[in-house]
Amino acid sequence: MNEDIYHRMTRSIMEGEEEEAVRLAREVVEAALKPLDAINLGFMPGLERIGEQYSCGEAFLPQLVMAGEAMKGALQVLEPEMIKDGVGRELAGIVVLGTIAGDIHDIGKTLVGTMLTVAGFKVIDLGVDVPVVSLVEAAQKEKADIIGVSALLTTTMTNQRDVIEALEDLDLRAKIKIMVGGAPVTQAWAEEIGADGCSEDALGAVELARSLMAAGKRSKG
Amino acid sequence: MKPIFSLLSSDLVSQIIEEAFQLLMDPGIKVQHQEARDLLVGAGANLDEDQQIVRIPESVARETLDTVPRQFILYDQAENKAVQYGGDAVHFDPGSSGVNVLDPETLEHRPAVSEDLIKVIKIAEGLPQYDAQSTALVCSEIPKEIGDLYRLYLVLLYSRKPVVTGAFRAQNTQTMIEMLAICSGGRKALAAKPTAIFDVCPTPPLIWSEFGAQNLIELARAEVPAQIVSMPLAGVAAPVTLLGSVVQQAAECISGMAIHQLARSGSPIVWGGAPAIMDMRQGTTPMGAVETALIDAAYAQVGKSFGFPTHAYLGASDAKIVDYQAGMESSTTALIGALAGINMISGPGMLDFLSCVSPEKLVMDAEAIAMVKRAVEGIRVQTDPLAVGMYEGIDFKGEFLKQRLTGELFQKEQHLPSPVIDRGSIRTWESAGRTDTFQRARSRCQELLGIYQRPALPEEQERELTKLVSGLAGRAGLDHIPTFER
């Protein structure tokens, strides 16, 4: 694989060209090249650069989200190949995300997902109105480090507690951290329900996820 | 599709103009300058010699108004077009002739010195919201005899933008024109591509003082743009009604334009002012009062009915510190002025009835101006159809961020403020030190001063300019003019 294709991969992510990113990922598979190199040397640097530009105010949400989408497209092609080869990419952590059952607010949670992806996390976003059982099952299946639960309504916020209780019932609470978010959610609420933390915004959620990973430091199989 | 704001019906505009012409006949205009009187009488006005009162018939006045240029340009020092006078163009420049500065540490108002003016110039130079500089501060350590021209000297040394300025004494007008001519490469070049405009003030009610009239004549002959700053003070030096003050402003401007055009027809001149109401409790002249802004918007509409370029003093506040009152008065009046389509709005940066300048406020006002300019741009049609067609693949999800169009168009639709405006989450705000707007403006001032680079004035011009100013300073009793880092 030459420099040129890495460069094009980086650019496809930075420009949010999902079709181009997917096409380049397929080229990798067809040429039987190493998917991991494509991710680490091609696609990921594009995402990192957009992330940096975003943090210093040079890039904006639309570019960030488009880059995240392009990255997702590339990973969907490359990850099955890596599983076949038995190699994994180096991850900052694995996060299962969802807006809690009864609540259909999406935007804050989606931004958190994008920002976590940019920061090197693998994100499984289950969408909105997600039953507690789906969150827990997905976390088990994906060997998640963190479950992120969003709620925008004070009425659905109480359901965040159910996720924690379900993990306790299954004896998974020690393994899986819980972060909660959404407009009505406060640090006091997070403490009251026994969550591991909350954040006001997407950038704060990334910091929180990093600190939870550092605190957990458990090795994954 | 500019949302131009028209306060007055066309009938009312006609009545204002009609009454202004009546005032020119009765009581007439007091003109305290021999040559100005001669010019008016020569054109057909009647004179009461003892009282220095000139009565100008409408036909005489109208003839002079015909020759006023309906538009002209101010250029920067690199001869780029920078300010469009005429039409509905809206520009802002910092307020002029403050005597104090607000110390950002102690919040005291202290007399300004050269360093303060230089700081204001540097900050305004880095803010694109200001299309022109002003001679913002009078430097207290400089002898009064050269106070006006010394301010211009500093602006010419530190800025490339055109400048809104003015003389404090008649004999300095020529010197200031000469200084500008040095930078432009001669008086002809200056007249062809003017880099400055001079404020000229009638004295309310209905007086052209010797100094004011002299200024009009000299600027007209030099073909350097003049800007009439009529100051009806509603209820004190003008009728208490807003419309009464608007009529007086019109009469003062028309008579000023007549003198000016008779001195040199076709010379550029602006229909402008700095009116105010009188606060009947405090006996002060609030520039931030909404009625003050209404007078401006109304007289601008009258001026525009003739097609004249317009000016007003708005975007200033009477608060003593940069607080809620300051923001509210400055942005409300700036918005009214911009919606009225006033070509040049002076006043940003100022507090305390135009006597104090705060560099931090200048930075904050720039944010207000950016919002105001966005408002004046109005709502544009970016796509056709407007919305239909943008729902493909949306499937009832809030996923418009994933649309290419969102990335392409959001910066055309939205103005992105500088970090002076806080739109972060409370977490971001707390982790950035829980700053208020004034503190953030202080940081932005430091940042602007840090990136400022002094424009390269050709060495010979700078030497000539400095020689001229030093000579005059010497005669005014100043051994040497202050020198500053270059």
Side-chain angles (χ1 to χ4, degrees), chain B residues 155-173:
Chain B
V155 173
L156 293 174
L157 287 186
Y158 286 89
S159 168
R160 300 293 278 174
K161 293 186 180 182
V163 53
V164 178
T165 187
F168 298 157
R169 46 187 67 217
Q171 60 267 41
N172 286 359
T173 307

Side-chain angles (χ1 to χ4, degrees), chain B residues 20-51:
Chain B
F21 282 123
Q22 285 176 27
L23 291 184
L24 296 187
M25 283 302 285
D26 182 16
I29 302 288
K30 195 181 263 275
V31 181
Q32 300 166 322
H33 187 273
Q34 181 67 53
E35 192 183 357
R37 286 196 299 272
D38 293 347
L39 285 169
L40 289 166
V41 170
N46 311 312
L47 176 66
D48 175 340
E49 189 77 63
D50 295 346
Q51 300 292 318

Side-chain angles (χ1 to χ4, degrees), chain A residues 36-221:
Chain A
L36 196 59
D37 285 351
I39 293 172
N40 290 339
L41 304 173
F43 295 115
M44 206 56 203
L47 201 56
E48 282 163 2
R49 224 170 293 165
I50 275 284
E52 284 159 19
Q53 287 181 0
Y54 177 76
S55 347
C56 60
E58 285 166 18
F60 303 96
L61 280 179
Q63 287 99 312
L64 193 66
V65 169
M66 297 286 282
E69 288 299 296
M71 187 71 192
K72 220 189 281 177
L75 287 176
Q76 268 165 10
V77 175
L78 296 174
E79 275 183 335
E81 297 302 312
M82 292 198 293
I83 292 167
K84 266 191 247 164
D85 298 349
V87 294
R89 64 185 172 111
E90 207 175 305
L91 293 172
I94 299 174
V95 184
V96 167
L97 274 186
T99 302
I100 198 67
D103 201 326
I104 47 110
H105 292 87
D106 200 24
I107 292 145
K109 181 262 307 161
T110 306
L111 290 181
V112 169
T114 302
M115 300 297 288
L116 286 170
T117 308
V118 172
F121 285 83
K122 179 179 180 182
V123 177
I124 301 99
D125 187 342
L126 301 181
V128 297
D129 195 11
V130 183
V132 172
V133 60
S134 306
L135 282 167
V136 175
E137 276 176 11
Q140 280 180 290
K141 178 169 164 256
E142 298 286 344
K143 298 190 168 68
D145 304 290
I146 298 170
I147 297 178
V149 199
S150 166
L152 259 291
L153 305 172
T154 48
T155 48
T156 55
M157 186 172 85
T158 50
N159 298 341
Q160 290 177 330
R161 192 199 299 267
D162 298 344
V163 182
I164 294 166
E165 284 169 1
L167 287 181
E168 281 166 357
D169 291 347
L170 294 169
D171 223 8
L172 290 168
R173 184 67 185 94
K175 281 193 193 168
I176 301 176
K177 305 282 185 191
I178 299 280
M179 24 187 241
V180 290
V185 173
T186 60
Q187 186 60 38
W189 168 251
E191 282 167 22
E192 185 189 327
I193 63 172
D196 296 296
C198 76
S199 169
E200 292 286 338
D201 58 20
L203 283 168
V206 172
E207 272 173 42
L208 174 62
R210 282 194 180 127
S211 72
L212 292 180
M213 292 305 296
K217 273 199 182 158
R218 65 195 181 86
S219 54
K220 288 199 66 75

Side-chain angles (χ1 to χ4, degrees), chain B residues 236-480:
Chain B
V236 177
V240 69
T241 59
L242 307 188
L243 284 171
S245 289
V246 172
V247 171
Q248 182 173 310
Q249 189 272 352
E252 290 177 356
C253 275
I254 292 169
S255 54
M257 284 178 160
I259 297 168
H260 183 264
Q261 293 299 299
L262 289 168
R264 173 70 57 90
S265 74
S267 259
I269 187 160
V270 176
W271 180 277
I277 56 162
M278 165 70 78
D279 183 288
M280 296 297 180
R281 278 171 306 186
Q282 304 285 346
T284 51
T285 56
M287 297 307 294
V290 76
E291 297 85 352
T292 294
L294 291 174
I295 298 174
D296 291 86
Y299 80 60
Q301 195 184 336
V302 175
K304 279 168 176 286
S305 76
F306 288 99
F308 296 143
T310 52
H311 161 268
Y313 241 96
L314 295 166
S317 170
D318 308 310
K320 310 303 177 282
I321 56 174
V322 190
D323 56 5
Y324 179 82
Q325 182 186 338
M328 182 264 280
E329 291 178 342
S330 304
S331 48
T332 303
T333 59
L335 181 62
I336 291 174
L339 289 177
I342 296 172
N343 300 144
M344 180 61 81
I345 300 176
S346 306
M350 301 203 95
L351 297 164
D352 187 23
F353 313 100
L354 307 181
S355 64
C356 183
V357 170
S358 160
E360 287 72 22
K361 181 175 185 288
L362 193 65
V363 156
M364 288 148 84
D365 288 341
E367 296 299 323
I369 291 165
M371 285 195 194
V372 161
K373 285 190 168 175
R374 177 64 191 87
V376 171
E377 279 170 24
I379 290 187
R380 287 154 293 199
V381 176
Q382 302 283 13
T383 63
D384 186 15
L386 307 175
V388 174
M390 291 192 213
Y391 289 83
E392 209 183 300
I394 286 296
D395 193 20
F396 301 97
K397 294 196 193 93
E399 293 192 342
F400 291 88
L401 272 175
K402 291 179 186 169
Q403 283 184 351
R404 184 149 294 281
L405 207 55
T406 304
E408 284 168 9
L409 289 181
F410 85 96
Q411 292 207 65
K412 290 188 180 156
E413 288 292 84
Q414 307 177 356
H415 156 67
L416 278 165
S418 89
V420 171
I421 300 300
D422 173 30
R423 288 184 178 169
S425 68
I426 184 146
R427 185 197 63 81
T428 312
W429 177 73
E430 282 172 344
S431 64
R434 311 169 69 92
T435 54
D436 64 15
T437 322
F438 191 71
Q439 287 169 308
R440 293 192 294 277
R442 258 169 35 179
S443 310
R444 181 107 170 97
C445 281
Q446 291 314 313
E447 193 187 311
L448 288 167
L449 292 171
I451 58 173
Y452 169 86
Q453 281 187 317
R454 198 180 152 227
L457 190 66
E459 222 172 286
E460 199 183 320
Q461 290 178 4
E462 184 171 335
R463 213 179 308 123
E464 207 180 329
L465 200 58
T466 304
K467 195 176 138 201
L468 177 66
V469 175
S470 301
L472 292 164
R475 265 183 272 159
L478 194 67
D479 291 345
H480 53 85

Side-chain angles (χ1 to χ4, degrees), chain B residues 110-148:
Chain B
R110 59 167 175 76
V113 291
S114 300
E115 279 82 0
D116 298 312
L117 177 54
I118 291 169
K119 185 176 166 186
V120 169
I121 297 167
K122 287 178 174 178
I123 289 168
E125 197 70 2
L127 292 167
Q129 288 88 345
Y130 300 116
D131 295 313
Q133 289 274 358
S134 73
T135 36
L137 285 163
V138 182
C139 305
S140 60
E141 83 278 30
I142 302 299
K144 291 204 171 12
E145 294 89 324
I146 60 161
D148 48 5

